[in-house]
Amino acid sequence: MNKPLRVDLEMFEGPLDLLLFLIKRDELNIYDIPIAKITKDFLNYVEMAKELKLHSAGDFILMAATLMKIKARMLLPQEAEGDEEIEDPRTELMNMLLEYQRYKEAAAAFEQIERNERPHYYHIPLNWTPGEEDHTAILEDVKLYDIMLTFQYLLKNYEDPVTHNVAVEEVTLSEQAGFLNGLLQLQAKISFASLLEKFESRLVLVVTFLAILDMLRSQQVKVKQSKLFDDLLITRGKEFGNS
Amino acid sequence: MEIVDLKRIVEALLIASPEPLTETRFSACLSEEETHAPLQEIIAELQNDYDESGRAFSIKKVANGFQIVTKAEFEPYVKGLFSKAGRLRLSQAALETLAIVSYRQPVTKNDIEAIRGVSSDSSLRTLLDRKLLEIRGRDDGPGRALLYRTSTEFLQYFGLDTVKDLPKLREVEDILSEEQDELI
């Protein structure tokens, strides 16, 4: 009995990777992919994917549908309109495969470079951050992503107090921007953590956070952080007061 | 100022600098009166000294500057200083995603997924967490998708001076002609 070669689907990065594998394995011509054969083989794998509940099963099923569409189009007679050449229904797929192959090769090259570079340690390693207690060393270069992470982190630690109030909370972005503006007139810096304590509802907090982002964009405020997940310090920016 | 002194100044800066020492940073550290000797030459002299005296480290040109790195032979010892999690190798998915970003940046998640043919959320997340990628603005197109770029840490991680030092991406034509050769 011809036992099918068992291949672990997890080893493929996606449907394109699997198709490239099938093409290589059977030494198929990428210019002239035998679509019926490859569709059949591909579907066998997708069956396995369903059993495995692969997280990217959806991507595999989408590709299966694409393959069947191409197969159907190839069976239908096509008539050229005027001088237009009949486009091979497989062209788009072929281009996708070739494009993916380029980056797959590049990824292999990256892996090689990674392997060569790993034994070298930098005097100051990657992702270096100032020491725990060093509050004078402030990262001026806070990225939006860091701010979002911090917000998420702080919010997680913030419990919504239980209230039985059903009144509609009316809070606007400009109200909160005005509030921050006023606060910054009085004090040079605001700690974001202290704002958390001040507000009772998550909604007000979120709107305040959005107001900070908006003011950051228009350079009315600056945001500093001494390390990731640490408190955010809001200070006056270049355009402070010019709203 | 004599070259010996400049050499020692550069050495001090290399030791103290939290990021690659660039020409700009170097000259910013020197006072007005000091001759602005070319950093490149001083580095070469220093490297020569290190080679002759058999040090455990060397100077590497990375991310448009210079940094001190330990030599490969000491890896078995030096790695004991670091947590394993911080030095995990990148997964295949992360490498593919990183490759696409480095050659086509700035790119959106959609661009990446169109090429890989598979959802790339988790690899993007890993790469952002490891600071190899950063978000740089938004696309002008519909939905104003986030744009991803490689970071300075990316250059450091792969020991590159600039993104241009990456191996050239093979042209589709080359792949095709190779396929043809294989068939013949």
Side-chain angles (χ1 to χ4, degrees):
Chain A
M1 201 177 78
N2 203 351
K3 217 174 162 194
L5 177 68
R6 251 203 75 88
V7 180
D8 190 359
L9 253 193
E10 294 282 353
M11 68 185 251
F12 297 107
E13 285 305 326
L16 291 171
D17 202 15
L18 172 57
L19 283 177
L20 280 178
F21 164 79
L22 293 174
I23 288 169
K24 280 250 144 61
R25 185 193 65 181
D26 300 338
E27 294 174 10
L28 305 176
N29 184 354
I30 201 160
Y31 268 139
D32 186 21
I33 303 170
I35 211 79
K37 175 186 162 40
I38 213 156
T39 306
K40 189 169 135 261
D41 288 356
F42 188 87
L43 285 174
N44 283 339
Y45 280 100
V46 173
E47 279 302 310
M48 279 170 58
K50 270 198 252 167
E51 283 168 31
L52 288 168
K53 292 201 182 82
L54 200 69
H55 69 280
S56 55
D59 297 314
F60 281 88
I61 289 164
L62 179 67
M63 177 57 76
T66 309
L67 287 172
M68 287 191 276
K69 196 175 87 187
I70 296 173
K71 194 173 143 190
R73 277 180 58 196
M74 291 188 68
L75 291 172
L76 294 171
Q78 290 189 21
E79 280 188 34
E81 283 176 32
D83 291 337
E84 259 180 66
E85 261 185 66
I86 304 170
E87 207 203 322
D88 190 320
R90 297 169 297 182
T91 307
E92 198 188 332
L93 179 69
M94 183 187 83
N95 288 336
M96 274 173 79
L97 284 168
L98 288 169
E99 187 71 353
Y100 175 68
Q101 172 144 330
R102 292 172 81 197
Y103 289 101
K104 196 172 146 60
E105 282 182 7
F110 276 37
E111 196 177 5
Q112 189 54 49
I113 305 173
E114 184 188 38
R115 206 189 303 273
N116 294 342
E117 285 305 315
R118 282 182 71 74
H120 297 284
Y121 287 79
Y122 285 94
H123 163 51
I124 308 254
L126 278 168
N127 307 336
W128 178 83
T129 44
E132 289 291 307
E133 297 304 319
D134 188 2
H135 290 298
T136 52
I138 288 200
L139 276 176
E140 294 274 348
D141 193 19
V142 184
K143 302 265 158 51
L144 183 61
Y145 187 67
D146 297 334
I147 300 182
M148 302 303 274
L149 279 182
T150 304
F151 183 61
Q152 255 179 22
Y153 176 80
L154 290 173
L155 212 56
K156 218 183 288 167
N157 296 347
Y158 169 84
E159 276 180 39
D160 239 343
V162 185
T163 49
H164 303 282
N165 206 335
V166 279
V168 182
E169 283 172 296
E170 287 198 17
V171 56
T172 66
L173 206 66
S174 57
E175 248 174 51
Q176 289 315 96
F179 163 78
L180 290 166
N181 229 316
L183 214 55
L184 277 175
Q185 305 259 354
L186 300 172
Q187 55 195 74
K189 59 182 182 217
I190 309 170
S191 133
F192 191 72
S194 72
L195 290 180
L196 283 183
E197 288 159 19
K198 197 168 287 176
F199 296 125
E200 279 182 7
S201 88
R202 211 170 259 254
L203 178 71
V204 180
L205 256 177
V206 171
V207 175
T208 311
F209 182 66
L210 289 176
I212 294 172
L213 289 184
D214 193 47
M215 292 169 86
L216 196 59
R217 191 179 50 82
S218 56
Q219 299 195 327
Q220 294 182 58
V221 296
K222 283 193 289 196
V223 173
K224 294 178 181 181
Q225 188 180 31
S226 57
K227 65 175 192 292
L228 197 57
F229 299 135
D230 207 2
D231 191 11
L232 297 169
L233 282 181
I234 303 143
T235 56
R236 291 170 207 152
K238 231 184 353 202
E239 298 290 322
F240 181 71
N242 302 335
S243 47
Chain B
M1 184 174 281
E2 283 180 39
I3 189 97
V4 185
D5 285 329
L6 268 171
K7 219 156 71 177
R8 298 184 67 202
I9 293 169
V10 171
E11 188 172 44
L13 293 176
L14 280 174
I15 292 289
S17 176
E19 48 195 65
L21 182 68
T22 59
E23 294 269 2
T24 335
R25 273 178 188 276
F26 169 59
S27 38
C29 295
L30 296 179
S31 67
E32 297 266 339
E33 312 89 68
E34 276 154 342
T35 12
H36 284 220
L39 181 60
Q40 199 103 24
E41 273 174 35
I42 307 168
I43 293 279
E45 295 226 11
L46 261 180
Q47 182 61 64
N48 206 26
D49 290 357
Y50 294 163
D51 289 343
E52 276 173 12
S53 54
R55 309 313 287 252
F57 50 82
S58 59
I59 305 168
K60 191 171 178 70
K61 184 141 178 42
V62 71
N64 203 26
F66 297 93
Q67 259 194 317
I68 286 183
V69 298
T70 61
K71 289 193 172 164
E73 62 209 270
F74 300 101
E75 189 203 11
Y77 308 97
V78 183
K79 74 174 175 200
L81 291 171
F82 301 93
S83 72
K84 282 209 182 78
R87 296 208 25 109
L88 283 179
R89 304 244 317 258
L90 294 170
S91 68
Q92 193 57 38
L95 284 166
E96 280 180 14
T97 306
L98 198 54
I100 294 168
V101 179
S102 10
Y103 290 105
R104 300 182 65 127
Q105 54 188 324
V107 290
T108 64
K109 184 164 79 90
N110 249 340
D111 298 334
I112 299 166
E113 291 178 345
I115 294 174
R116 294 192 61 225
V118 68
S119 129
S120 302
D121 288 297
S122 69
S123 45
L124 270 173
R125 202 182 174 89
T126 311
L127 293 167
L128 282 170
D129 283 343
R130 292 184 65 167
K131 303 208 176 220
L132 297 174
L133 291 185
E134 56 191 32
I135 295 166
R136 275 293 184 81
R138 285 173 178 276
D139 191 29
D140 289 330
R144 309 247 303 126
L146 293 171
L147 288 169
Y148 297 93
R149 299 192 72 100
T150 54
S151 62
T152 307
E153 282 90 344
F154 164 80
L155 294 174
Q156 228 183 16
Y157 188 78
F158 287 99
L160 301 166
D161 192 20
T162 74
V163 194
K164 291 190 191 97
D165 292 338
L166 283 170
K168 219 171 151 289
L169 196 57
R170 212 144 65 97
E171 292 303 324
V172 169
E173 293 76 48
D174 295 340
I175 301 175
L176 279 175
S177 64
E178 187 182 278
E179 295 269 341
Q180 289 267 291
D181 291 347
E182 276 175 18
L183 285 169
I184 298 161

